[in-house]
Amino acid sequence: AQSVTQLDSQVPVFEEAPVELRCNYSSSVSVYLFWYVQYPNQGLQLLLKYLSGSTLVKGINGFEAEFNKSQTSFHLRKPSVHISDTAEYFCAVRRYNNNDMRFGAGTRLTVKP
Amino acid sequence: DVKVTQSSRYLVKRTGEKVFLECVQDMDHENMFWYRQDPGLGLRLIYFSYDVKMKEKGDIPEGYSVSREKKERFSLILESASTNQTSMYLCASSFPTGASYGYTFGSGTRLTVV
């Protein structure tokens, strides 16, 4: 089965600073990769996904992520964060031809003024 | 927009009660899922369903059952609620295998068992 490790449980940053949220996965087969965001008291919302092709994928709200097959990583980045980016972020992996998705434990991003 | 609707945002139940959590989606998705979310543990899959009347166990099915009598509705049942089932429960739906879609999530039900 596939698994996902988010390397940081909490990431505090100041407004307008760059941020990277780290995600590593393990799987014996090819996978799709996703990042979701959860704002307080809400469900999860899709930020971006990697399916195939270009390893750099762009998502909503200025986020992007890079798929690195050799390092089995899918780190999420934003060059300049806003207060409104404060939320919990989940990395997830779904195997080809498989229905269920596995999530990491989440990274709580706190943007300070 | 696809909508996944969970019938309750907050629930408080007593130990030993039978609890029903309801989820309805309006996008004709074949797949539906129930997760529980706990701090530091992320989302853990309880049960999922590929089609009406079909169900598969996820990683933590103990103490739970599910029902899918109609395509749009997927119910999670706590047969005899216990305090360790206090959690946030999230329902999701998606198109089936081979379609490179993510999931659409409901807003969650925060269940407290006292």
Side-chain angles (χ1 to χ4, degrees):
Chain A
Q2 68 273 33
S3 67
V4 183
T5 302
Q6 291 184 242
L7 298 163
D8 307 291
S9 60
Q10 297 189 57
V11 174
V13 294
F14 287 105
E15 195 173 16
E16 298 183 7
V19 70
E20 178 179 81
L21 307 183
R22 297 179 294 167
C23 172
N24 286 96
Y25 71 93
S26 65
S27 176
S28 57
V29 299
S30 296
V31 296
Y32 300 128
L33 294 158
F34 303 82
W35 275 98
Y36 286 84
V37 59
Q38 184 181 34
Y39 298 106
N41 299 314
Q42 295 187 26
L44 275 69
Q45 178 182 339
L46 182 65
L47 262 183
L48 50 79
K49 58 187 176 185
Y50 173 77
L51 307 177
S52 64
S54 173
T55 57
L56 183 65
V57 293
K58 295 189 183 296
I60 61 172
N61 301 340
F63 284 93
E64 62 182 31
E66 186 158 17
F67 169 60
N68 187 319
K69 189 174 182 179
S70 62
Q71 297 187 5
T72 60
S73 68
F74 190 53
H75 301 334
L76 181 70
R77 302 186 183 102
K78 187 169 182 178
S80 175
V81 294
H82 303 291
I83 299 287
S84 59
D85 292 323
T86 294
E88 188 142 22
Y89 292 80
F90 292 93
C91 182
V93 59
R94 181 177 181 178
R95 287 178 292 169
Y96 287 6
N97 299 319
N98 188 283
N99 278 297
D100 58 297
M101 194 177 300
R102 292 295 187 270
F103 289 82
T107 297
R108 183 168 296 280
L109 174 65
T110 303
V111 181
K112 299 181 281 188
Chain B
D1 277 355
V2 176
K3 279 191 179 172
V4 177
T5 303
Q6 294 183 232
S7 54
S8 304
R9 289 300 304 274
Y10 300 95
L11 275 179
V12 180
K13 297 292 182 180
R14 294 192 181 279
T15 301
E17 275 193 79
K18 190 169 185 176
V19 181
F20 293 85
L21 303 183
E22 305 288 346
C23 175
V24 177
Q25 51 94 5
D26 66 0
M27 200 56 184
D28 206 32
H29 283 167
E30 284 78 4
N31 298 345
M32 297 188 74
F33 307 84
W34 276 106
Y35 288 86
R36 64 176 281 177
Q37 181 183 7
D38 299 289
L41 298 177
L43 279 70
R44 293 179 291 167
L45 182 64
I46 305 172
Y47 267 98
F48 57 105
S49 170
Y50 299 148
D51 203 348
V52 176
K53 297 192 185 296
M54 294 184 67
K55 60 185 178 182
E56 297 281 345
K57 291 181 180 179
D59 298 323
I60 52 165
E62 296 78 18
Y64 303 95
S65 62
V66 289
S67 172
R68 190 151 181 217
E69 296 296 319
K70 294 185 178 181
K71 190 175 185 179
E72 67 271 17
R73 186 181 296 271
F74 191 36
S75 303
L76 180 69
I77 304 158
L78 285 66
E79 298 290 343
S80 177
S82 64
T83 55
N84 63 12
Q85 292 178 309
T86 291
S87 186
M88 169 72 90
Y89 290 87
L90 291 168
C91 176
S93 69
S94 80
F95 287 114
T97 302
S100 52
Y101 294 95
Y103 291 1
T104 301
F105 281 86
S107 297
T109 295
R110 187 167 293 282
L111 173 67
T112 303
V113 182
V114 298

